[in-house]
Amino acid sequence: MIRVVLVDDQALMRAGFRALLDAEDGIEVVGEAADGAQGVDLVRKEVPDIALVDVQMPVMSGIEATREIAADPHLAAVRVVILTNYGLDEYVFEALRAGASGFLLKDTEPADLLQAVQVVAAGDALLSPAVTRQLIGEFIARPPDRATAPGLEHLTPRELEVTALAARGLSNEEIAAHMVISPYTAKTHVSRAMTKLGARDRAQLVVFAYESGLVRARSA
């Protein structure tokens, strides 16, 4: 059973998401919160698999809530998915840097929402290669302000290579073809790189690769 918490200040939005998720076998909404502070408390109480968190809320924003959840070692298994109306805006970038595993548009199709919940719960990246490429486009247009998260020295040459390829939007299968290794080996290298760098998921790995300088944003 995939356990989900909903954090959104709009009651109607929560009701819609809840009805959709609860109707799906294998998914259960275990709680709702109307602001970021309540959301953090609820996540600490329930320790769900996934927290669907709105970006803009009273009391505490979704970004701050994400940061608190990601910083709590007892919540390391919780995956935060940001809900937004506007797609790839500055709020989404800040949320990813804060520790979110990905994002969904609030007007996403029901089938896409259910698939996203299942993908994240399985431990895979919510950001598809296509979305990762969109993120890269944004990094090209507006490079990050700062370099963060030292730790490249802990990566093996293979891990550095797969991290750079993942940051350029390649899937595990594409990385495997590029490096002439099996998809399983590619996935293993990616997983080890994430562990060493303290990246919660692939989205964090992409952000790290650009902000650390491993990959340079460049024009298309």
Side-chain angles (χ1 to χ4, degrees):
M1 183 65 69
I2 301 171
R3 303 171 72 253
V4 179
V5 157
L6 300 174
V7 186
D8 195 307
D9 62 325
Q10 299 180 31
L12 187 60
M13 187 64 65
R14 296 198 310 271
F17 278 119
R18 180 163 203 148
L20 178 63
L21 294 170
D22 278 343
E24 182 74 5
D25 290 339
I27 300 176
E28 177 187 12
V29 176
V30 296
E32 299 179 25
D35 63 57
Q38 291 179 9
V40 173
D41 290 342
L42 181 60
V43 168
R44 285 177 174 150
K45 176 184 175 184
E46 297 291 344
V47 192
D49 300 297
I50 297 173
L52 296 178
V53 180
D54 187 22
V55 168
Q56 293 178 290
M57 293 183 290
V59 184
M60 177 187 289
S61 71
I63 294 171
E64 287 302 317
T66 298
R67 189 172 288 115
E68 288 208 19
I69 292 168
D72 190 333
H74 297 293
L75 304 178
V78 178
R79 294 290 175 259
V80 176
V81 176
I82 291 295
L83 300 172
T84 177
N85 289 315
Y86 307 111
L88 288 169
D89 59 14
E90 185 59 33
Y91 290 113
V92 170
F93 280 88
E94 287 303 311
L96 290 173
R97 291 185 183 113
S101 296
F103 71 95
L104 284 172
L105 292 174
K106 285 190 174 183
D107 62 355
T108 190
E109 292 295 324
D112 292 336
L113 171 65
L114 294 172
Q115 182 183 26
V117 168
Q118 292 162 349
V119 165
V120 174
D124 295 325
L126 175 57
L127 300 183
S128 67
V131 173
T132 301
R133 291 185 181 108
Q134 284 184 273
L135 282 169
I136 292 168
E138 290 291 333
F139 274 114
I140 291 169
R142 181 180 50 199
D145 296 332
R146 61 193 183 280
T148 59
L152 290 180
E153 68 274 10
H154 301 303
L155 300 186
T156 67
R158 282 288 203 182
E159 290 162 357
L160 283 169
E161 186 175 0
V162 297
T163 297
L165 292 172
R168 293 189 175 106
L170 274 66
S171 67
N172 288 339
E173 289 73 18
E174 291 169 331
I175 292 172
H178 181 89
M179 298 178 65
V180 195
I181 56 178
S182 72
Y184 176 81
T185 300
K187 182 177 181 180
T188 298
H189 284 316
V190 170
S191 296
R192 287 176 178 167
M194 289 193 298
T195 297
K196 290 181 179 180
L197 297 175
R200 291 165 66 90
D201 50 40
R202 201 183 193 92
Q204 294 296 298
L205 196 65
V206 172
V207 172
F208 175 87
Y210 279 89
E211 293 199 327
S212 67
L214 175 61
V215 175
R216 300 288 183 183
R218 61 176 185 260
S219 301

